[in-house]
Amino acid sequence: MITGSLVALVTPMHENGELDWTCLHNLVEYHIREGSDGLVIAGTTGESATLTVQEHCEVLRRVIDQVAGRLPVIAGTGANATQQAVHLTAEAKALGADACLLVTPYYNKPTQEGLYRHYKTVAESVAIPQILYNVPGRTAVDLLPETVARLSILDNIVGIKEATGIIERGAEIRELCGRDFAIYSGDDSTGMELMLRGANGVISVTNNVVPKLMHRLCIAALQGQREDAEAINGQLQGLHKKLFVESNPIPVKWALQQMGLIKGGIRLPLTPLAENHQPVIRQVLAQLDLL
């Protein structure tokens, strides 16, 4: 089971929107050096929705080859078309990913039965560990615990990234699916509490900016050390919140640019962080001595 602080990695781009392979390479080494417990590549924060299939697979290939087993690499391979999700997941397996993260099909608004059949099809088509990803605030569909329980019976569906921010949801999934089913928080603001109540880690946007602190937070929370976890999380609450003043990954890419880790590229329809939001991001970065 993959545990701890897993970074939902941004995909660096040049100002013209072309992928920045040099920055991507440097970011991967930064996270290995700073203590991230795993890399989640080409997910929501990685702007998967605006990558071509060829770019998506090339990002995965480069990162997996570079990491060379030093960290687990989880490939984002979800899609709103089931056969495309099968294709991306098969590509990730062929490239050597450790697991795949599959967001619920967005825009289509499938029923619970449709979600079940979608994930069952991918699981039965590609023999690689697969993590469900529930983020109804972005997809307009909620993968309910009862459906998660049905899916957890399938051998290679090994966990879920639960991004509703509802702490009780994690406990319900744990009760239905058992201890061997991994639960990851997909909401930084509530991630600590979810881990203290039995989740296995967090797939984090905040980790892009403060990987070392997020690693320490996860260690404390996973070991049940509430006082230590709360002390670290208290330092990060401002960052957890301000990184969502506009749609993710707009604020986190701007923050990383200010830190000198990436350039300012982002793809339409996303736009660079609005000027009126820049001071609040700069303030929390300064408070953490990141500027």
Side-chain angles (χ1 to χ4, degrees), residues 9-283:
L9 197 71
V10 301
T11 301
M13 297 174 183
H14 295 285
E15 298 285 353
N16 64 2
E18 295 297 314
L19 302 189
D20 187 336
W21 301 115
T22 299
C23 275
L24 178 62
H25 181 279
N26 293 340
L27 271 187
V28 169
E29 293 301 321
Y30 170 70
H31 281 283
I32 293 172
R33 185 171 64 249
E34 292 293 304
S36 291
D37 297 301
L39 306 175
V40 178
I41 307 301
T44 303
T45 309
E47 294 176 78
S48 58
T50 56
L51 297 178
T52 67
V53 172
Q54 181 179 357
E55 288 173 330
H56 195 129
C57 294
E58 182 65 9
V59 169
L60 295 178
R61 184 189 69 78
R62 287 179 182 245
V63 172
I64 292 166
D65 287 351
Q66 179 185 346
V67 170
R70 290 179 290 169
L71 284 181
V73 176
I74 300 172
T77 59
N80 60 347
T82 301
Q83 288 308 311
Q84 183 171 335
V86 170
H87 172 71
L88 288 172
T89 304
E91 287 293 316
K93 174 180 166 58
L95 291 168
D98 295 285
C100 290
L101 178 70
L102 292 107
V103 70
T104 53
Y106 46 88
Y107 187 77
N108 299 328
K109 299 181 73 173
T111 64
Q112 294 301 303
E113 182 64 22
L115 290 171
Y116 172 76
R117 294 188 189 187
H118 168 83
Y119 281 117
K120 184 173 184 286
T121 298
V122 181
E124 291 178 344
S125 300
V126 189
I128 187 173
Q130 295 172 26
I131 300 166
L132 313 172
Y133 177 13
N134 186 39
V135 57
R138 296 190 75 120
T139 63
V141 63
D142 189 3
L143 182 63
L144 298 179
E146 295 81 5
T147 307
V148 177
R150 290 179 70 194
L151 290 165
S152 70
I153 297 170
L154 301 173
D155 287 343
N156 53 332
I157 294 184
V158 299
I160 185 170
K161 176 184 177 182
E162 177 54 55
T164 59
I166 303 170
I167 294 170
E168 293 77 13
R169 179 66 70 89
E172 188 175 357
I173 293 171
R174 174 64 71 224
E175 182 178 352
L176 289 170
C177 300
R179 299 299 310 177
D180 293 335
F181 189 74
I183 299 173
Y184 305 100
S185 170
D187 176 67
D188 280 310
S189 291
T190 57
M192 178 203 72
E193 190 62 38
L194 203 67
M195 286 185 285
L196 285 167
R197 298 190 187 193
N200 303 97
V202 57
I203 297 177
S204 169
V205 176
T206 300
N207 186 315
N208 280 280
V209 179
V210 284
K212 190 173 292 185
L213 274 177
M214 283 299 299
H215 173 68
R216 287 174 50 204
L217 169 64
C218 288
I219 288 176
L222 291 172
Q223 292 178 351
Q225 299 170 353
R226 177 175 287 276
E227 187 174 342
D228 291 345
E230 288 180 342
I232 299 168
N233 201 51
Q235 300 177 57
L236 298 177
Q237 274 299 342
L239 195 58
H240 291 333
K241 294 177 181 178
K242 299 306 181 186
L243 289 179
F244 290 89
V245 292
E246 288 188 13
S247 297
N248 178 49
I250 291 172
V252 70
K253 291 194 92 172
W254 189 86
L256 291 172
Q257 181 189 11
Q258 297 306 297
M259 294 168 63
L261 293 173
I262 65 172
K263 299 182 178 69
I266 195 165
R267 281 190 177 172
L268 288 171
L270 299 182
T271 53
L273 185 68
E275 288 188 10
N276 63 302
H277 288 140
Q278 294 176 11
V280 297
I281 303 292
R282 191 177 287 112
Q283 181 181 16

